[in-house]
Amino acid sequence: MTARTAAPTLFRVLAQQRRWTTWEIFAIHFDKAAASVVRAQPSRKPKPVTVARRTFDRWFTGTWRGLPRADTCYVLEHLFGFPAEDLFRPAPVVLRPAATPAGPEQIRAAQSIETRWATSRLSLTTAGGSGWDTWELDGRRVFDGTSLAVHLQAADSLDNAVRLPVTEPDQLKEFLRPVRRGLVLGTRTADAGHQVFVLDALTARNQIRVGLGAEFTLVIPDAHQLDDLTYGIIWAIANIDDALLADDQLLHAEHGALNAYLELPRTAPSRSSIPGLTSVGAAWIGSYFCYRHITRHLADASELPVFWTREQYGESSVGWLLWAHKQRYLREIEDRFAIQPGREVTRAFCLPEAAVKDSEPYELILLFLSIALMEMHRVNVHVSDEPEMTAVDGFVLVPGQRAVIANWVRAEGIWQATTTSGHAAMRDYADAAGHAAHHSVAPGTTSPERLQALASYLGLDWVWLTRRCRELGERGIAGMIRPRSRLIALDELELTLRFVGDLAT
């Protein structure tokens, strides 16, 4: 085994990172560095330094022995920022070059993703041939942040899809083999600009099982093109899924304790009561307790309840689209109250303009889809834009009986839950709900009217959004990204996409 394959030098790795892999390109940068050294330290009077082609080849292949002469070493140190002794030693393992260095298409994809979405960073690996690129997805208000392993390569056009030729099947298999989450990203340059398409690693693994051969390719549907809709979904699923998996034992251990809390008239546990819980895990258990608290106190409801929710951002509202217990809650409300003729279940949101302006487009899409989910389940949604209404508790008002207060969004602890039958408090809650209904910024007598008005208020392109929801709803989410937590379900999200897609004009 040669020195080159056994342990590439730090010089080689750094040159590959900078894509100075030919003598012609390297000599340009070396000459600039040499001139800079002369200007910076004229008192040293260094001799003119150049690098011959054969010298560069020996440096790059690792066949050079010893160190270059002193002036050359000084320029190399200025150029790379490492002592010359380190440059000609084996590179640290963490910097070993990839078997196939990233090409221009992959580099443009990484740059476009980072430029378009501030919560996203796609880092092209310098790890060994069995390594992978890393896609970091930061949170904003609730999400803790996570990262995904990605395999990035250029793609060709295909009817309603893109095709990724598998030129190095062993390398792809090595990427797909680990059980950690992974995504395959195909990149394509089209008239509309640079495009990226997303395929879940499990889907890619299944394609390989059934079709690997000399001419094998991976296929990604056009619907899985990365844009504000698909990025928001990937961002949410990856962050929520990884956090819930990290908290799985903690959440399981606390599950039984919730029964004791339910027997108390007022509860507000602090975050310190469950040490080690992620922000997403705290949101999930707060939401889950509020669901059980509400349904428990709706058991004897004799009148149609009125709902108020405190979510203002897509990061907190996306739980409606993904968490199994919230989807079960909506179905229960629909089955019990909304299917009766002439009865309209209503839910109010407060979305002040400041919250809308502080949200990224993909967050606003998640918020829109969460409200569309409720409309799909026959809940008429009213939206207030008055900032003072943000202080209203999350509540369910059963006229003539009680108000059930349940806060986990913007609560001081994990949740705050109680009930009241006080006439003054119940009147205040009724007034808040009535005010939102009469001054909604998303008015309308039908779901399409209300949702189109909501999209306008949020600054979303209705034609584009309904078209993309239809396309993605027809293809499904799991082929693009597949959750692993037992607490997440995609069924309602996919139904919502199709519901919104059917509203396209």
Side-chain angles (χ1 to χ4, degrees):
M1 184 177 289
T2 66
R4 171 182 169 181
T5 57
T9 63
L10 181 59
F11 172 87
R12 177 187 176 89
V13 171
L14 295 176
Q16 283 187 324
Q17 285 182 342
R18 292 158 174 78
R19 310 197 68 76
W20 301 344
T21 55
T22 64
W23 171 77
E24 290 82 0
I25 295 175
F26 175 81
I28 294 172
H29 296 281
F30 185 89
D31 291 346
K32 288 181 179 178
S36 177
V37 166
V38 172
R39 290 193 301 269
Q41 296 188 0
S43 59
R44 291 187 73 251
K45 297 182 180 178
K47 297 179 181 179
V49 177
T50 59
V51 176
R53 182 189 297 270
R54 177 172 173 77
T55 300
F56 169 77
D57 289 343
R58 293 174 64 193
W59 288 354
F60 194 77
T61 59
T63 56
W64 181 274
R65 295 292 179 265
L67 293 175
R69 60 190 181 92
D71 286 336
T72 301
C73 287
Y74 193 77
V75 174
L76 288 172
E77 291 171 351
H78 179 78
L79 182 62
F80 289 111
F82 286 86
E85 292 84 356
D86 292 344
L87 291 173
F88 294 94
R89 291 173 180 163
V93 174
V94 294
L95 289 177
R96 295 292 164 81
T100 305
E105 193 80 15
Q106 291 95 319
I107 293 173
R108 284 195 293 269
Q111 290 173 330
S112 67
I113 288 174
E114 186 166 337
T115 300
R116 183 166 181 179
W117 296 289
T119 52
S120 172
R121 289 187 303 278
L122 181 56
S123 303
L124 301 183
T125 186
T126 57
S130 61
W132 46 77
D133 302 324
T134 303
W135 193 5
E136 297 178 65
L137 300 174
D138 295 335
R140 298 200 68 197
R141 304 167 190 86
V142 179
F143 297 165
D144 303 274
T146 190
S147 61
L148 304 85
V150 297
H151 175 82
L152 182 67
Q153 73 174 75
D156 302 325
S157 296
L158 195 66
D159 291 341
N160 300 315
V162 294
R163 181 179 68 93
L164 279 66
V166 180
T167 57
E168 298 186 44
D170 291 340
Q171 185 179 352
L172 179 61
K173 284 182 178 179
E174 191 70 20
F175 167 76
L176 296 175
R177 180 183 177 187
V179 296
R180 52 92 181 100
R181 181 192 301 285
L183 299 177
V184 176
L185 303 184
T187 69
R188 180 181 70 180
T189 301
D191 294 340
H194 197 73
Q195 299 173 328
V196 178
F197 300 83
V198 185
L199 188 69
D200 186 80
L202 180 58
T203 307
R205 201 176 301 135
N206 291 336
Q207 288 190 24
I208 282 182
R209 288 194 184 110
V210 300
L212 187 57
E215 301 297 327
F216 178 70
T217 62
L218 293 175
V219 177
I220 308 177
D222 281 345
H224 292 172
Q225 180 180 343
L226 195 62
D227 54 22
D228 284 324
L229 173 62
T230 50
Y231 176 78
I233 291 171
I234 291 169
W235 176 69
I237 290 177
N239 269 285
I240 291 175
D241 192 49
D242 286 354
L244 292 181
L245 286 172
D247 287 340
D248 190 66
Q249 287 199 3
L250 276 174
L251 295 174
H252 180 71
E254 292 296 324
H255 198 274
L258 298 183
N259 292 329
Y261 280 115
L262 287 169
E263 298 299 326
L264 300 175
R266 180 185 298 271
T267 58
S270 67
R271 282 289 301 272
S272 61
S273 65
I274 312 180
L277 204 60
T278 65
S279 295
V280 170
W284 183 90
I285 200 169
S287 171
Y288 180 73
F289 178 84
C290 288
Y291 153 64
R292 293 189 58 187
H293 172 70
I294 290 170
T295 54
R296 184 171 185 262
H297 289 285
L298 284 182
D300 64 346
S302 58
E303 297 291 334
L304 192 66
V306 177
F307 298 82
W308 184 286
T309 190
R310 287 166 61 87
E311 289 97 333
Q312 295 180 349
Y313 298 96
E315 203 167 357
S316 52
S317 71
V318 74
W320 290 102
L321 296 166
L322 297 178
W323 292 343
H325 70 271
K326 294 185 83 71
Q327 298 171 9
R328 185 164 59 249
Y329 173 39
L330 281 177
R331 290 192 295 268
E332 290 170 356
I333 296 300
E334 180 183 21
D335 292 343
R336 183 175 175 192
F337 298 108
I339 62 174
Q340 301 178 29
R343 307 190 76 183
E344 293 185 348
V345 176
T346 62
R347 181 179 291 271
F349 281 73
C350 179
L351 308 177
E353 289 187 10
V356 174
K357 291 179 180 178
D358 191 40
S359 297
E360 297 292 333
Y362 58 89
E363 291 183 277
L364 295 172
I365 291 173
L366 294 175
L367 180 61
F368 172 87
L369 290 175
S370 302
I371 294 175
L373 167 69
M374 297 175 186
E375 290 279 354
M376 183 179 70
H377 282 286
R378 308 186 194 189
V379 176
N380 296 358
V381 177
H382 306 301
V383 179
S384 171
D385 65 346
E386 299 183 25
E388 57 269 23
M389 304 295 275
T390 61
V392 176
D393 292 317
F395 68 82
V396 181
L397 177 65
V398 184
Q401 290 182 265
R402 69 182 66 87
V404 186
I405 294 91
N407 294 326
W408 65 272
V409 177
R410 303 194 309 279
E412 292 184 6
I414 300 176
W415 71 75
Q416 295 173 327
T418 189
T419 62
T420 181
S421 298
H423 293 297
M426 292 177 66
R427 185 172 57 251
D428 288 343
Y429 290 132
D431 289 345
H435 185 83
H438 287 94
H439 299 87
S440 177
V441 295
T445 58
T446 65
S447 288
E449 290 175 354
R450 288 189 292 272
L451 289 175
Q452 190 162 3
L454 175 64
S456 177
Y457 175 68
L458 298 178
L460 301 175
D461 184 330
W462 176 256
V463 174
W464 174 86
L465 181 59
T466 53
R467 175 180 60 81
R468 284 294 287 129
C469 284
R470 183 181 63 248
E471 294 170 350
L472 190 57
E474 290 173 352
R475 281 293 186 173
I477 303 296
M480 180 177 69
I481 184 167
R482 187 184 304 265
R484 298 166 296 169
S485 170
R486 58 192 169 83
L487 305 176
I488 294 177
L490 294 181
D491 296 349
E492 293 292 324
L493 172 56
E494 293 182 337
L495 286 172
T496 303
L497 290 170
R498 292 195 286 272
F499 172 73
V500 174
D502 288 341
L503 303 180
T505 55

